[in-house]
Amino acid sequence: MRRFFARLVNLVRPGRAERDLEREVASHLSLIEEDLMRRGMTPEAARTASRRTYGGVEQAKELHRDARSFVWMEQVLQDARHACRGLWKSPGFVAVAMLSLAFGIGVNAAIFTLVNGILLKKLPVPEPERVVQVSAKLKEFESNGFNYPAYRALSRQPAIFSDTIAFSGRRSNLELDGEPHPIDFELVTGGFFRFFGARPALGRLIDDEDDRAEGAHPVCVLSYNAWQTHFGGNPAVLGRSIRIGSIPLQVIGVAAPEFVGPELQRRFDVWAPSAMAGSFGSQRENGNTIWLHILARLRTGIPMAEAQARLAGVSRAIEDSLPPDRANHGAVYRVRDASKGYDSWRSTLQDPLYILMGAVTLVLLVACANLANLLLARAGERRQEFAIKLSLGISRWRLLRQLLIETFVLAFAGGAAALALAAALTRVLLAIFNSGSQYQSLHVAPDRSVFLFTFAACVCTALLAGLYPAWQAARTDAAAGLKGGALQGPRRALVRRGLILVQVTLAVVLLFGASLFTHSLSNLKVVNLGYDIDRVLSVAIAQRGPVGSTPQVIAPHALAEVLARVRQLPGVEAAAFSEPGPLTGQMMSTDLTLPDPSGGTRRADNVHVMFIGPGYLPAMRMVLVRGRDFTAADGPAAPGVAIVNQRLASLLWPGQDPIGKHFPGWGIKDLEIVGVAGDSNYKNVREAKVSIFYQSFDQSKIRGGVLAVRCRGAAAAVERQVREVVKTSAPDYQVSNATSMELLRDQWLAQDRLLAFLSTLFGTLGTVLALVGIYGLISYSVTRRTREIGIRISIGAQRGNVLWLFLRESLLLIAGGMLLGLPLALVLARFLKKMLFQVSVADPLGIAATLILLAAGGLIASCAPARRATKIDPVRALRYD
């Protein structure tokens, strides 16, 4: 161990060891010299004889150095210093190589940040594999939403779950000094913080007592970030009353800075007990209100499959214990793995992220091919240097190692730049993804895994791009190399052209993918929704107060004054209520079974329901095909009326006029059809036209609604006026959300925007790197063939012939890359099919755009060096060495 530490010290502080060695050698020589002088030699003769007697001084020093330190480590450090000095002398080469690597590794690190944050990270709790997410399997779909009575029944399954929690996130405003500050707010059940083993940074956290009685404990917990951002980290915030969406809550604690919660991709600012749901527009005991998500922890020793079977077995008993008139009736309850947290985005973004990871891998391969080409060109220029080193005694292995170390230095320098680029790109990607979201924001951040991934990418890049050029350089013929000239033979030229071919092939794949996603996004933005969203403001209005409070009048009548005043605003063209609002993602649906004249039945499953007020169809510019719209006469005391869309009419009354037909509605046993409306989208942009029937908003007992306001100009000013109208005319109500219909549409395009932006970025990067490779190849070819060009011009070759000589080489490489890349792109495009909207995977427009862009870019990249060849002076060229 002493010898080991001594070697380590000598490696770190070689100067001290070298001075000690010099003194020791000098001491030995001095003793021998003195002994010889005592025997009668003159000082000069003794000095010469002492060195002859001692032997080779420098050889002895080398043997001592080998014994006192780690030789291979010293050599590696020497090679690293040599590599840095060599790269410092070639700033142009270093700049191009580092930019290629920074972009190639940077986009990989950015996408891996998303993959790690969404698909790989696990909850920071003990035994995360025991955490499961509960869902309800219905006939038509699987629901992740629950009402509170269902949560309460599920939490009473001790044979399956050891702990169960429910939560509901939403956007709201924190009112400070009269100014609203947008925040993410979450209602949680009493055991929420205990479930995650959370500890407070200040005060205490919400417990079961806070959530026991509805509205009894108006308290909240702040996140550490919200405490620092909005309250300056002041401990006096404990006990202070703050207003969340105009509801006063007392601050009882601050969560620890590391606390995240059930969704690793979201960050909440404030938590309040679910018992306060009534104050925020969610009726806790209402079985028709779907607003909660559930996580549970399996009992120790119960595997997932057994828990699934047990839960399916008790589903019937749970259903029997709940009121029959409620949402999700007849569900079979299921569990799935939630060790990575609640699945807000994981299932939706899994396939797109895998596609993007594949795309950035192609970008990195293009960057590696580009770097390999640069290294081959640089090795050709350094042939004489390699020959001199070999002739002086350096081993070929040592030369190979030196060149690999150069590549590693480049790779790690590019990786450092890539980390900065990845951090910036990740912020841009999140901004693009979240720009249209009104309800939840994706949050991911780089961590240790991203740094390890970047390190691994640097190592792989250095080996992939640097191994072959270094191996070729280490095989240099020293005798031939000493005569001068660059390293360029038929095999090496073929390798360089092969690398360009690979780059062009991958660029074709990336460009074609970008064209598909861009075309898909363009189609989504112009899809016919069945209504006009231009300059339409969607304002969600909910009733204040606890659930137990009884409104003095029926909700639609309570909002009648709000609607009348909004319609009179100077910037408003039309306004009307609906529930739910289109494109909000909320849904009401039912199954209809009607008798058929032939004696059978006609059935329509999962028919969507919407309550709309008079004037809603013209306000949204929806087509009324036949019949009439709702009027003020269709009030609570009038017979039930409905409007059906064309799709539902064709399913239940094919070939008949549905006007005057009757069917059971939502909350009303008999509805008469008074109109037929055109087909339209209900929940989101991508859905096909669905079956919908509309009931009169005035005949419902809804406690709120969505006000659609068609504006004459900008919606921002109108929004402020509508908020003021609600505040003054309906103090028992509040605006829970207000946004333009265009933003509501755009929130459904977040994934498509992200794919279009990233695929375009990757296609551009891949193409630029390929074009840089083409430029470098033609430029290098011009330099190597200067003498040949001089001979050609001197014997009569025209400038155009010389230009075509190099353009032909470039065009052949581009054409070859297209022939290889296009079939590969068409094959890989099949994996994109389900992510595209109304775009064929063999989109002719995309094919044409890809080929034209790449051909034009290749010509531009090769024209500059090719034109330089036409301006060569033949007299100077013939003297060129």
Side-chain angles (χ1 to χ4, degrees):
M1 289 300 295
R2 285 198 301 270
R3 187 180 297 113
F4 172 80
F5 284 113
R7 287 185 174 188
L8 197 61
V9 170
N10 291 334
L11 179 67
V12 176
R13 300 179 61 185
R16 177 180 176 181
E18 195 65 25
R19 288 192 298 271
D20 291 343
L21 175 61
E22 290 288 348
R23 283 196 297 269
E24 186 174 349
V25 171
S27 175
H28 279 289
L29 290 173
S30 178
L31 289 173
I32 296 171
E33 186 178 343
E34 288 177 3
D35 183 56
L36 292 173
M37 288 174 65
R38 281 196 299 270
R39 294 180 183 180
M41 283 190 180
T42 62
E44 292 77 8
R47 190 175 301 111
T48 303
S50 66
R51 280 163 173 74
R52 188 166 52 249
T53 304
Y54 186 86
V57 174
E58 294 303 321
Q59 290 90 335
K61 287 182 178 180
E62 286 298 325
L63 289 173
H64 181 79
R65 292 185 185 113
D66 291 347
R68 81 182 184 200
S69 64
F70 302 104
V71 180
W72 63 272
M73 289 186 67
E74 283 192 350
Q75 289 179 348
V76 167
L77 291 175
Q78 290 169 3
D79 292 343
R81 288 193 292 268
H82 177 76
C84 292
R85 286 196 299 267
L87 293 173
W88 183 260
K89 296 175 182 178
S90 304
F93 164 78
V94 172
V96 174
M98 279 190 60
L99 280 175
S100 298
L101 293 176
F103 283 112
I105 299 174
V107 293
N108 273 268
I111 298 304
F112 182 77
T113 302
L114 298 180
V115 170
N116 179 58
I118 297 172
L119 304 181
L120 302 181
K121 268 188 178 180
K122 290 198 172 186
L123 284 171
V125 298
E127 299 182 276
E129 62 278 358
R130 288 174 53 204
V131 180
V132 294
Q133 180 176 332
V134 185
S135 60
K137 181 68 175 69
L138 304 170
K139 257 188 311 187
E140 297 294 327
F141 59 93
E142 187 167 339
S143 173
N144 294 322
F146 293 88
N147 51 51
Y148 190 83
Y151 157 72
R152 186 165 49 217
L154 285 164
S155 65
R156 294 170 179 168
Q157 302 298 324
I160 305 172
F161 306 129
S162 62
D163 201 359
T164 311
I165 59 167
F167 47 92
S168 175
R170 58 196 67 194
R171 288 283 177 86
S172 189
N173 287 312
L174 168 64
E175 298 178 10
L176 293 175
D177 301 324
E179 293 293 327
H181 298 270
I183 61 166
D184 285 309
F185 169 69
E186 195 167 36
L187 293 167
V188 300
T189 52
F192 179 83
F193 288 99
R194 182 183 66 246
F195 187 92
F196 298 102
R199 295 289 183 268
L202 188 69
R204 68 176 182 88
L205 303 176
I206 293 169
D207 57 24
D208 292 322
E209 186 60 34
D210 295 318
D211 196 46
R212 197 176 305 281
E214 292 185 53
H217 294 271
V219 298
C220 69
V221 171
L222 300 176
S223 73
Y224 190 87
N225 182 64
W227 179 45
Q228 295 292 326
T229 303
H230 300 295
F231 302 97
N234 187 355
V237 73
L238 284 182
R240 176 177 170 179
S241 179
I242 62 174
R243 301 186 77 84
I244 307 294
S246 302
I247 305 300
L249 298 173
Q250 184 183 30
V251 178
I252 59 171
V254 176
E258 66 275 7
F259 178 73
V260 177
E263 299 171 86
L264 297 178
Q265 300 83 32
R266 293 187 69 181
R267 296 294 182 269
F268 287 93
D269 300 297
V270 181
W271 295 274
S274 68
M276 294 301 298
S279 299
F280 295 96
S282 296
Q283 304 176 44
R284 189 162 93 150
E285 295 297 331
N286 186 346
N288 285 319
T289 304
I290 298 297
W291 60 290
L292 287 171
H293 304 299
I294 298 177
L295 286 185
R297 181 175 280 108
L298 298 179
R299 294 198 67 83
T300 304
I302 297 182
M304 184 76 68
E306 184 180 342
Q308 189 80 272
R310 288 190 185 185
L311 191 58
V314 300
S315 291
R316 182 64 181 270
I318 293 175
E319 286 293 286
D320 291 343
S321 69
L322 298 173
D325 183 20
R326 59 182 177 79
N328 289 358
H329 179 66
V332 176
Y333 297 99
R334 307 176 65 175
V335 293
R336 64 174 182 268
D337 176 53
S339 60
K340 298 170 184 175
Y342 182 79
D343 187 1
S344 297
W345 285 283
R346 200 158 51 248
S347 297
T348 305
L349 293 179
Q350 177 173 303
D351 288 343
L353 286 175
Y354 286 152
I355 294 294
L356 291 175
M357 205 68 219
V360 293
T361 302
L362 295 183
V363 173
L364 186 57
L365 288 176
V366 176
C368 287
N370 199 48
L371 179 59
N373 240 331
L374 290 171
L375 292 172
L376 281 172
R378 189 163 188 259
E381 299 300 330
R382 300 171 66 189
R383 187 187 183 193
Q384 195 170 44
E385 173 194 336
F386 301 152
I388 292 171
K389 286 182 176 181
L390 291 169
S391 64
L392 290 176
I394 188 174
S395 68
R396 295 187 184 274
W397 161 246
R398 180 76 182 270
L399 179 59
L400 174 69
R401 189 174 66 190
Q402 282 185 354
L403 296 175
L404 276 178
I405 287 175
E406 278 191 11
T407 311
F408 273 97
V409 170
L410 276 175
F412 285 121
L419 282 173
L421 177 66
L425 182 58
T426 302
R427 288 193 294 269
V428 172
L429 298 182
L430 292 177
I432 292 172
F433 188 86
N434 295 327
S435 60
S437 176
Q438 297 297 308
Y439 303 105
Q440 56 184 3
S441 295
L442 177 66
H443 176 93
V444 294
D447 59 7
R448 183 177 59 182
S449 298
V450 176
F451 287 97
L452 292 175
F453 173 83
T454 305
F455 177 81
C458 292
V459 172
C460 292
T461 299
L463 292 174
L464 195 60
L467 195 56
Y468 179 78
W471 178 67
Q472 284 291 342
R475 296 177 61 206
T476 300
D477 185 346
L482 289 173
K483 297 177 182 178
L487 181 64
Q488 179 73 1
R491 181 183 297 178
R492 295 180 179 91
L494 186 63
V495 170
R496 296 201 65 201
R497 288 176 174 83
L499 290 171
I500 295 297
L501 200 63
V502 169
Q503 288 179 271
V504 175
T505 300
L506 297 179
V508 169
V509 175
L510 291 168
L511 269 182
F512 183 65
S515 71
L516 293 179
F517 284 122
T518 304
H519 193 181
S520 176
L521 179 62
S522 176
N523 289 344
L524 283 167
K525 286 189 173 182
V526 297
V527 66
N528 180 16
L529 299 171
Y531 39 81
D532 182 10
I533 63 174
D534 181 41
R535 294 180 291 109
V536 176
L537 183 67
S538 176
V539 184
I541 301 176
Q543 194 169 21
R544 297 181 189 271
V547 173
S549 64
T550 303
Q552 296 180 357
V553 291
I554 297 175
H557 287 193
L559 297 174
E561 185 180 351
V562 171
L563 179 60
R565 287 189 58 187
V566 168
R567 284 174 172 172
Q568 294 173 0
L569 294 175
V572 173
E573 182 179 323
F577 272 107
S578 73
E579 180 60 29
L583 302 183
T584 59
Q586 299 176 358
M587 181 184 74
M588 300 169 66
S589 66
T590 186
D591 298 333
L592 295 178
T593 303
L594 301 180
D596 189 271
S598 62
T601 59
R602 283 200 178 96
R603 182 176 178 83
D605 293 332
N606 198 29
V607 179
H608 293 70
V609 185
M610 184 182 290
F611 293 91
I612 61 174
Y616 183 82
L617 295 182
M620 293 298 294
R621 295 179 182 171
M622 295 176 66
V623 177
L624 185 64
V625 178
R626 63 171 66 93
R628 69 173 179 87
D629 193 1
F630 295 138
T631 66
D634 298 317
V641 292
I643 297 172
V644 298
N645 73 343
Q646 289 175 293
R647 178 175 173 80
L648 181 59
S650 64
L651 284 175
L652 294 180
W653 302 280
Q656 304 176 47
D657 184 359
I659 303 296
K661 303 290 185 182
H662 291 255
F663 69 97
W666 188 285
I668 300 178
K669 293 184 178 180
D670 182 65
L671 292 175
E672 179 184 353
I673 299 175
V674 297
V676 178
D679 293 334
S680 61
N681 290 56
Y682 187 88
K683 290 190 301 179
N684 59 61
V685 178
R686 280 182 173 268
E687 70 180 0
K689 298 299 185 286
V690 294
S691 301
I692 307 174
F693 69 84
Y694 304 91
Q695 290 185 219
S696 172
F697 189 80
D698 293 341
Q699 292 180 344
S700 69
K701 295 184 179 181
I702 301 172
R703 297 169 64 89
V706 178
L707 182 61
V709 183
R710 182 168 294 281
C711 307
R712 291 192 172 90
V718 175
E719 178 187 341
R720 291 192 294 270
Q721 293 174 333
V722 171
R723 287 183 181 273
E724 186 61 29
V725 167
V726 173
K727 184 177 180 180
T728 56
S729 299
D732 290 333
Y733 288 82
Q734 62 180 338
V735 174
S736 58
N737 187 47
T739 185
S740 70
M741 288 286 291
E742 289 182 339
L743 282 177
L744 282 178
R745 177 203 62 191
D746 289 347
Q747 75 176 346
W748 297 106
L749 307 183
Q751 174 182 311
D752 301 274
R753 282 197 313 271
L754 190 66
L755 287 171
F757 172 78
L758 284 175
S759 61
T760 302
L761 175 64
F762 301 158
T764 303
L765 279 177
T767 303
V768 168
L769 290 173
L771 297 182
V772 168
I774 292 173
Y775 175 88
L777 177 68
I778 301 302
S779 182
Y780 184 76
S781 182
V782 169
T783 303
R784 289 297 309 135
R785 300 171 70 180
T786 299
R787 189 179 184 85
E788 176 192 341
I789 296 168
I791 294 172
R792 286 176 179 270
I793 295 175
S794 65
I795 62 175
Q798 299 297 315
R799 305 286 180 179
N801 296 334
V802 175
L803 182 67
W804 174 245
L805 180 68
F806 295 100
L807 289 182
R808 180 178 60 191
E809 181 179 8
S810 173
L811 290 174
L812 285 174
L813 289 172
I814 293 171
M818 289 177 176
L819 288 175
L820 293 173
L822 195 54
L824 180 60
L826 292 174
V827 170
L828 293 178
R830 296 179 183 178
F831 297 99
L832 312 180
K833 187 173 182 179
K834 64 181 180 181
M835 285 176 272
L836 302 175
F837 184 76
Q838 297 179 357
V839 177
S840 168
V841 292
D843 182 29
L845 184 63
I847 293 173
T850 299
L851 299 183
I852 291 171
L853 285 173
L854 204 51
L859 280 175
I860 293 171
S862 54
C863 269
R867 285 189 62 195
R868 190 170 70 246
T870 64
K871 297 178 181 179
I872 290 176
D873 183 354
V875 176
R876 293 185 178 179
L878 291 174
R879 297 176 182 171
Y880 182 80
D881 188 12

